[in-house]
Amino acid sequence: MKLYFLLFLVTPSKVGFCQTTSKLSRNDFPSTFVFGSGTSAYQVEGAAAEDGRTPSIWDTFAHAGKLPDKSTGDIASDEYHKYKEDVQLMVEIGLDAYRFSMSWSRLIPHGRGPVNPKGLQYYNNLINELISHGIQPHVTLFHYDLPQDLEDEYGGWLSPKIVKDFTAYANVCFREFGDRVLYWTTLNEPNIFVLAGYDVGLLPPQRCSYPYGNDCPSGNSTVEPYIVAHNCLLAHASVATLYRKRYQGKQQGFIGFNIFWYWFTPLTNSTEDINATQRAHDFYNGWFLDPLVSGDYPYSMRKNAGLKMPTFTKRESERVMSSFDFFGINHYQSLSVQDDQNSMDADQRDFFGDMSAKLLMKGDGPPGSKFPINPSGMQPTLEYFKQVYGNPPIYIHENGYPTPRDESLNDTWRVNYLNGFLENLLNAVRNGSNTRGYFTWSFLDVFELLDGYQSRYGLYHVDFQDKDLKRLPKLSAHWYSNFLKKSQGTTGINKIHTPSPMSHCIE
């Protein structure tokens, strides 16, 4: 699920990158390092109207025909019914862990109130199936899919009421599953959720205002992103406080926060572009990370956004600060930054106007692709966390590569991509980064939040035209399995046909 192309200009540059075989193996990493893959609830589960689940804002959005292919997640990859089969594939590939999210509207159908026993049973079954096969569950509480009832009642994340309801939902999850789930993430990349949903209006709840966003029914792009971000931080802090006070001592688990992360570099060596690059870091990343580490928003945001920026009370600042045991990072690409000063008054600008920087894509990919491969940003990203944020524990929660829906199983570009990023990750770990795990996006082909079924990120191909949604391993699945199993004296995925060798790479 990636939202890259709405947020910057695309100016690919040719890079040399060719990797048909890998010298890497998990033996190169610390013995405790966790390797996994992931999905999210609306994108993989299906069963959208079964067993008591009610609509989320994503159901409403998709059913309104908002995606390019007019698709929905009603069936998706049908993991709700096929979870045992999928866990067996995870065993075959050799995963240590599986990252997934829980559907709030499956567990608590109206956002608050009674717990749905069928939803409870499904997640218990999935968790137990994972653990019985030695696979760690890493659970995200919110991956974009707010119950529609809460959106209708009080505007969802726009209202401070969300803090109480999100905390109550989290309490159910900790109480019911925390004896087996040790790794909890509150929110998935809220920086992108906020920008896509409340500034440019591309994704639900599709709020924006002219001229900054799409043709939205309502919204205010100049202020709503800042309000929603503030409520996200307060909700996270409330949940973390609950977990630490009531559950962590007994369950011995960890609570984290996930962010989408670009690595930014200046387009030129000019002072203007260098300063713009720091603003890009502050606006995209520091917007959430600075309050979590130091208790307040970056100075450049307060200066440029002015009175639009909410403020923390002393008590709120204290609760937000250090309310994490780890950070999850979704990292896919690096961007160049060019200064782009905006003379408009702060109260007339949106987030991007306040940032005053133009973002340009770097790298190259397959012919016709708008998704370049540039793995070199992984190492400086982790160095930045080490130098600026005190080297906290980190899990790379998402890293992956999209190919068209008619891709072959011979997904050489994805293999090139994953290998390059893992090499840079290893360099960072050897240089002292406190990174503790890596998850590919995605384990299966899923319903992608930007374009439905038009692109594929999975290690396993899903035939969405087949009534049984047959899964087949791609070359990347074999490659990842070989990487994971080298230390065990075995190689590859068992009992299945290996696709033909890679026939091309980036020159």
Short mmCIF file of all heavy atoms in Angstrom, two decimals, residues 229-230 232-234 236-237 257 259 282-283 285-299 301-302 309-310 312 316-324 327 389:
data_model
loop_
_atom_site.label_atom_id
_atom_site.label_comp_id
_atom_site.label_asym_id
_atom_site.label_seq_id
_atom_site.Cartn_x
_atom_site.Cartn_y
_atom_site.Cartn_z
N ALA A 229 -3.06 14.99 13.14
CA ALA A 229 -1.76 14.52 13.62
C ALA A 229 -1.66 14.65 15.13
O ALA A 229 -1.15 13.75 15.82
CB ALA A 229 -0.64 15.29 12.94
N HIS A 230 -2.14 15.76 15.66
CA HIS A 230 -2.10 16.00 17.11
C HIS A 230 -2.93 14.94 17.84
O HIS A 230 -2.48 14.37 18.85
CB HIS A 230 -2.64 17.40 17.39
CG HIS A 230 -2.27 17.93 18.75
ND1 HIS A 230 -0.99 18.29 19.09
CD2 HIS A 230 -3.05 18.16 19.85
CE1 HIS A 230 -0.97 18.74 20.34
NE2 HIS A 230 -2.21 18.66 20.83
N CYS A 232 -3.65 11.98 16.75
CA CYS A 232 -2.95 10.70 16.62
C CYS A 232 -1.90 10.54 17.71
O CYS A 232 -1.78 9.47 18.32
CB CYS A 232 -2.28 10.61 15.25
SG CYS A 232 -3.40 10.27 13.87
N LEU A 233 -1.13 11.58 17.95
CA LEU A 233 -0.09 11.51 18.98
C LEU A 233 -0.69 11.35 20.37
O LEU A 233 -0.19 10.56 21.18
CB LEU A 233 0.78 12.76 18.91
CG LEU A 233 1.78 12.80 17.75
CD1 LEU A 233 2.31 14.21 17.53
CD2 LEU A 233 2.93 11.83 18.00
N LEU A 234 -1.77 12.07 20.65
CA LEU A 234 -2.41 11.95 21.96
C LEU A 234 -3.02 10.57 22.15
O LEU A 234 -2.98 9.99 23.25
CB LEU A 234 -3.47 13.03 22.13
CG LEU A 234 -2.96 14.48 22.15
CD1 LEU A 234 -4.13 15.45 22.27
CD2 LEU A 234 -1.97 14.70 23.29
N HIS A 236 -2.01 7.76 20.65
CA HIS A 236 -0.89 6.83 20.85
C HIS A 236 -0.40 6.89 22.29
O HIS A 236 -0.18 5.85 22.93
CB HIS A 236 0.26 7.16 19.91
CG HIS A 236 1.56 6.57 20.37
ND1 HIS A 236 1.90 5.26 20.16
CD2 HIS A 236 2.58 7.13 21.09
CE1 HIS A 236 3.08 5.02 20.71
NE2 HIS A 236 3.51 6.14 21.27
N ALA A 237 -0.19 8.10 22.81
CA ALA A 237 0.33 8.25 24.17
C ALA A 237 -0.62 7.65 25.19
O ALA A 237 -0.19 7.03 26.18
CB ALA A 237 0.58 9.72 24.46
N PHE A 257 5.57 2.71 17.71
CA PHE A 257 4.93 3.69 16.84
C PHE A 257 5.57 3.59 15.47
O PHE A 257 6.80 3.56 15.36
CB PHE A 257 5.13 5.10 17.43
CG PHE A 257 4.40 6.19 16.71
CD1 PHE A 257 3.13 6.57 17.10
CD2 PHE A 257 4.99 6.88 15.65
CE1 PHE A 257 2.45 7.60 16.46
CE2 PHE A 257 4.32 7.89 14.99
CZ PHE A 257 3.05 8.26 15.40
N ILE A 259 6.18 4.92 11.43
CA ILE A 259 6.17 6.12 10.59
C ILE A 259 6.66 5.77 9.19
O ILE A 259 7.50 4.88 9.01
CB ILE A 259 7.05 7.23 11.20
CG1 ILE A 259 6.82 8.57 10.50
CG2 ILE A 259 8.53 6.84 11.18
CD1 ILE A 259 7.34 9.76 11.26
N ASP A 282 11.97 17.56 8.93
CA ASP A 282 11.16 18.02 10.05
C ASP A 282 9.68 17.80 9.80
O ASP A 282 8.95 17.33 10.68
CB ASP A 282 11.42 19.51 10.31
CG ASP A 282 12.80 19.79 10.87
OD1 ASP A 282 13.47 18.83 11.30
OD2 ASP A 282 13.22 20.97 10.86
N PHE A 283 9.22 18.16 8.60
CA PHE A 283 7.80 18.11 8.31
C PHE A 283 7.29 16.67 8.14
O PHE A 283 6.23 16.32 8.66
CB PHE A 283 7.47 18.94 7.07
CG PHE A 283 7.17 20.39 7.36
CD1 PHE A 283 8.20 21.26 7.74
CD2 PHE A 283 5.89 20.88 7.27
CE1 PHE A 283 7.93 22.59 8.01
CE2 PHE A 283 5.61 22.21 7.55
CZ PHE A 283 6.63 23.07 7.92
N ASN A 285 8.94 13.72 9.00
CA ASN A 285 9.36 12.76 10.02
C ASN A 285 9.34 13.34 11.43
O ASN A 285 8.76 12.75 12.34
CB ASN A 285 10.77 12.26 9.68
CG ASN A 285 10.87 11.76 8.25
OD1 ASN A 285 9.95 11.13 7.73
ND2 ASN A 285 11.99 12.04 7.58
N GLY A 286 9.95 14.52 11.58
CA GLY A 286 9.99 15.14 12.90
C GLY A 286 8.62 15.53 13.41
O GLY A 286 8.42 15.67 14.63
N TRP A 287 7.67 15.72 12.51
CA TRP A 287 6.28 16.04 12.88
C TRP A 287 5.76 15.10 13.96
O TRP A 287 5.10 15.51 14.91
CB TRP A 287 5.44 15.92 11.62
CG TRP A 287 4.04 16.40 11.66
CD1 TRP A 287 3.43 17.14 12.64
CD2 TRP A 287 3.05 16.21 10.64
NE1 TRP A 287 2.13 17.41 12.29
CE2 TRP A 287 1.88 16.85 11.08
CE3 TRP A 287 3.05 15.56 9.41
CZ2 TRP A 287 0.71 16.85 10.31
CZ3 TRP A 287 1.90 15.57 8.64
CH2 TRP A 287 0.74 16.21 9.09
N PHE A 288 6.11 13.81 13.84
CA PHE A 288 5.68 12.82 14.83
C PHE A 288 6.82 12.39 15.75
O PHE A 288 6.61 12.18 16.95
CB PHE A 288 5.10 11.59 14.12
CG PHE A 288 3.77 11.87 13.48
CD1 PHE A 288 3.70 12.32 12.17
CD2 PHE A 288 2.59 11.70 14.18
CE1 PHE A 288 2.48 12.58 11.58
CE2 PHE A 288 1.36 11.96 13.60
CZ PHE A 288 1.30 12.41 12.29
N LEU A 289 8.02 12.27 15.21
CA LEU A 289 9.11 11.73 16.01
C LEU A 289 9.61 12.71 17.06
O LEU A 289 9.94 12.31 18.18
CB LEU A 289 10.26 11.30 15.10
CG LEU A 289 9.94 10.17 14.12
CD1 LEU A 289 11.17 9.85 13.28
CD2 LEU A 289 9.45 8.94 14.84
N ASP A 290 9.66 14.00 16.72
CA ASP A 290 10.16 14.97 17.70
C ASP A 290 9.30 15.01 18.97
O ASP A 290 9.83 15.00 20.08
CB ASP A 290 10.27 16.36 17.07
CG ASP A 290 11.53 16.53 16.25
OD1 ASP A 290 12.02 15.50 15.72
OD2 ASP A 290 12.01 17.67 16.10
N PRO A 291 7.97 15.08 18.86
CA PRO A 291 7.16 15.02 20.09
C PRO A 291 7.39 13.74 20.89
O PRO A 291 7.41 13.77 22.12
CB PRO A 291 5.72 15.11 19.57
CG PRO A 291 5.83 15.82 18.28
CD PRO A 291 7.13 15.34 17.68
N LEU A 292 7.56 12.61 20.20
CA LEU A 292 7.75 11.34 20.90
C LEU A 292 9.10 11.27 21.60
O LEU A 292 9.22 10.63 22.65
CB LEU A 292 7.62 10.19 19.91
CG LEU A 292 6.20 9.96 19.37
CD1 LEU A 292 6.23 9.02 18.17
CD2 LEU A 292 5.29 9.39 20.46
N VAL A 293 10.10 11.94 21.06
CA VAL A 293 11.43 11.90 21.65
C VAL A 293 11.67 13.08 22.60
O VAL A 293 12.24 12.92 23.67
CB VAL A 293 12.52 11.88 20.55
CG1 VAL A 293 13.91 12.02 21.14
CG2 VAL A 293 12.41 10.57 19.76
N SER A 294 11.20 14.27 22.20
CA SER A 294 11.54 15.47 23.00
C SER A 294 10.33 16.23 23.52
O SER A 294 10.49 17.23 24.22
CB SER A 294 12.41 16.42 22.17
OG SER A 294 11.73 16.83 20.99
N GLY A 295 9.11 15.83 23.14
CA GLY A 295 7.93 16.43 23.73
C GLY A 295 7.31 17.58 22.98
O GLY A 295 6.31 18.15 23.45
N ASP A 296 7.84 17.97 21.81
CA ASP A 296 7.24 19.08 21.07
C ASP A 296 7.56 18.95 19.59
O ASP A 296 8.45 18.20 19.18
CB ASP A 296 7.77 20.41 21.60
CG ASP A 296 6.84 21.59 21.28
OD1 ASP A 296 5.78 21.36 20.64
OD2 ASP A 296 7.16 22.72 21.66
N TYR A 297 6.83 19.74 18.79
CA TYR A 297 7.02 19.73 17.34
C TYR A 297 8.31 20.45 16.95
O TYR A 297 8.82 21.30 17.70
CB TYR A 297 5.83 20.41 16.65
CG TYR A 297 4.52 19.69 16.83
CD1 TYR A 297 3.49 20.24 17.61
CD2 TYR A 297 4.30 18.46 16.24
CE1 TYR A 297 2.28 19.59 17.78
CE2 TYR A 297 3.09 17.79 16.39
CZ TYR A 297 2.09 18.36 17.17
OH TYR A 297 0.89 17.70 17.34
N PRO A 298 8.86 20.15 15.77
CA PRO A 298 10.08 20.83 15.33
C PRO A 298 9.88 22.33 15.22
O PRO A 298 8.79 22.81 14.87
CB PRO A 298 10.35 20.20 13.95
CG PRO A 298 9.63 18.90 13.95
CD PRO A 298 8.41 19.12 14.81
N TYR A 299 10.95 23.05 15.47
CA TYR A 299 10.90 24.51 15.41
C TYR A 299 10.47 25.00 14.04
O TYR A 299 9.67 25.94 13.91
CB TYR A 299 12.26 25.10 15.78
CG TYR A 299 12.37 26.59 15.53
CD1 TYR A 299 11.76 27.51 16.37
CD2 TYR A 299 13.06 27.06 14.40
CE1 TYR A 299 11.83 28.87 16.13
CE2 TYR A 299 13.14 28.42 14.14
CZ TYR A 299 12.52 29.33 15.01
OH TYR A 299 12.59 30.67 14.75
N MET A 301 8.52 23.71 11.89
CA MET A 301 7.08 23.57 11.69
C MET A 301 6.32 24.67 12.42
O MET A 301 5.39 25.27 11.88
CB MET A 301 6.60 22.20 12.17
CG MET A 301 7.09 21.03 11.36
SD MET A 301 6.18 19.50 11.70
CE MET A 301 4.66 19.81 10.79
N ARG A 302 6.72 24.91 13.65
CA ARG A 302 6.04 25.98 14.42
C ARG A 302 6.25 27.34 13.74
O ARG A 302 5.34 28.16 13.68
CB ARG A 302 6.58 26.01 15.84
CG ARG A 302 6.15 24.82 16.68
CD ARG A 302 6.10 25.18 18.16
NE ARG A 302 5.44 24.14 18.92
CZ ARG A 302 4.12 23.99 19.01
NH1 ARG A 302 3.32 24.80 18.34
NH2 ARG A 302 3.60 23.03 19.74
N MET A 309 -0.51 25.26 14.10
CA MET A 309 0.03 24.12 14.85
C MET A 309 -0.60 24.04 16.23
O MET A 309 -0.57 25.01 16.99
CB MET A 309 1.55 24.26 15.00
CG MET A 309 2.33 24.07 13.72
SD MET A 309 2.23 22.39 13.06
CE MET A 309 3.03 21.46 14.35
N PRO A 310 -1.20 22.91 16.58
CA PRO A 310 -1.70 22.75 17.96
C PRO A 310 -0.54 22.76 18.94
O PRO A 310 0.63 22.59 18.57
CB PRO A 310 -2.38 21.37 17.93
CG PRO A 310 -2.56 21.05 16.48
CD PRO A 310 -1.44 21.73 15.75
N PHE A 312 0.88 21.29 22.84
CA PHE A 312 0.72 20.32 23.92
C PHE A 312 0.68 21.04 25.26
O PHE A 312 1.47 21.97 25.49
CB PHE A 312 1.90 19.34 23.93
CG PHE A 312 2.00 18.47 22.72
CD1 PHE A 312 2.98 18.72 21.76
CD2 PHE A 312 1.14 17.41 22.53
CE1 PHE A 312 3.10 17.91 20.64
CE2 PHE A 312 1.25 16.59 21.41
CZ PHE A 312 2.23 16.84 20.47
N GLU A 316 0.36 16.76 28.59
CA GLU A 316 0.33 16.03 27.32
C GLU A 316 1.74 15.79 26.80
O GLU A 316 2.06 14.70 26.31
CB GLU A 316 -0.49 16.81 26.30
CG GLU A 316 -1.99 16.79 26.55
CD GLU A 316 -2.74 17.74 25.64
OE1 GLU A 316 -2.10 18.64 25.04
OE2 GLU A 316 -3.98 17.61 25.55
N SER A 317 2.57 16.81 26.88
CA SER A 317 3.94 16.69 26.41
C SER A 317 4.67 15.58 27.17
O SER A 317 5.40 14.78 26.57
CB SER A 317 4.68 18.02 26.57
OG SER A 317 6.02 17.91 26.17
N GLU A 318 4.46 15.53 28.47
CA GLU A 318 5.12 14.51 29.29
C GLU A 318 4.63 13.11 28.94
O GLU A 318 5.39 12.15 28.95
CB GLU A 318 4.88 14.80 30.77
CG GLU A 318 5.61 16.05 31.26
CD GLU A 318 5.20 16.44 32.66
OE1 GLU A 318 4.18 15.90 33.16
OE2 GLU A 318 5.87 17.32 33.26
N ARG A 319 3.35 12.98 28.61
CA ARG A 319 2.79 11.66 28.27
C ARG A 319 3.25 11.21 26.89
O ARG A 319 3.51 10.02 26.67
CB ARG A 319 1.26 11.69 28.32
CG ARG A 319 0.68 11.86 29.69
CD ARG A 319 -0.83 11.66 29.69
NE ARG A 319 -1.18 10.25 29.62
CZ ARG A 319 -2.43 9.80 29.59
NH1 ARG A 319 -3.44 10.65 29.59
NH2 ARG A 319 -2.69 8.51 29.55
N VAL A 320 3.33 12.15 25.95
CA VAL A 320 3.75 11.79 24.59
C VAL A 320 5.23 11.43 24.57
O VAL A 320 5.63 10.45 23.93
CB VAL A 320 3.45 12.96 23.62
CG1 VAL A 320 4.11 12.71 22.27
CG2 VAL A 320 1.95 13.14 23.45
N MET A 321 6.03 12.20 25.29
CA MET A 321 7.47 12.00 25.25
C MET A 321 7.85 10.63 25.82
O MET A 321 7.41 10.24 26.90
CB MET A 321 8.18 13.11 26.04
CG MET A 321 9.69 13.08 25.92
SD MET A 321 10.47 14.61 26.53
CE MET A 321 9.74 14.77 28.14
N SER A 322 8.62 9.89 25.07
CA SER A 322 9.13 8.57 25.45
C SER A 322 8.04 7.52 25.59
O SER A 322 8.22 6.50 26.27
CB SER A 322 9.94 8.65 26.75
OG SER A 322 11.04 9.52 26.61
N SER A 323 6.90 7.73 24.90
CA SER A 323 5.79 6.77 24.98
C SER A 323 5.95 5.66 23.95
O SER A 323 5.00 5.28 23.27
CB SER A 323 4.46 7.50 24.78
OG SER A 323 4.43 8.15 23.51
N PHE A 324 7.15 5.14 23.83
CA PHE A 324 7.42 4.08 22.85
C PHE A 324 8.57 3.22 23.35
O PHE A 324 9.45 3.69 24.07
CB PHE A 324 7.80 4.68 21.48
CG PHE A 324 9.07 5.48 21.50
CD1 PHE A 324 10.29 4.88 21.20
CD2 PHE A 324 9.06 6.83 21.85
CE1 PHE A 324 11.47 5.61 21.24
CE2 PHE A 324 10.24 7.56 21.89
CZ PHE A 324 11.45 6.95 21.58
N PHE A 327 10.51 2.05 17.40
CA PHE A 327 9.91 2.68 16.23
C PHE A 327 9.84 1.66 15.10
O PHE A 327 10.78 0.89 14.88
CB PHE A 327 10.72 3.88 15.75
CG PHE A 327 10.55 5.11 16.59
CD1 PHE A 327 11.66 5.81 17.06
CD2 PHE A 327 9.29 5.60 16.91
CE1 PHE A 327 11.51 6.95 17.84
CE2 PHE A 327 9.13 6.74 17.68
CZ PHE A 327 10.24 7.41 18.14
N TYR A 389 17.89 10.89 17.07
CA TYR A 389 16.86 10.40 18.00
C TYR A 389 17.39 9.40 19.03
O TYR A 389 16.62 8.70 19.68
CB TYR A 389 15.71 9.79 17.21
CG TYR A 389 14.97 10.82 16.37
CD1 TYR A 389 14.94 10.73 14.98
CD2 TYR A 389 14.32 11.91 16.97
CE1 TYR A 389 14.28 11.68 14.22
CE2 TYR A 389 13.67 12.85 16.22
CZ TYR A 389 13.64 12.74 14.84
OH TYR A 389 12.99 13.69 14.10
#
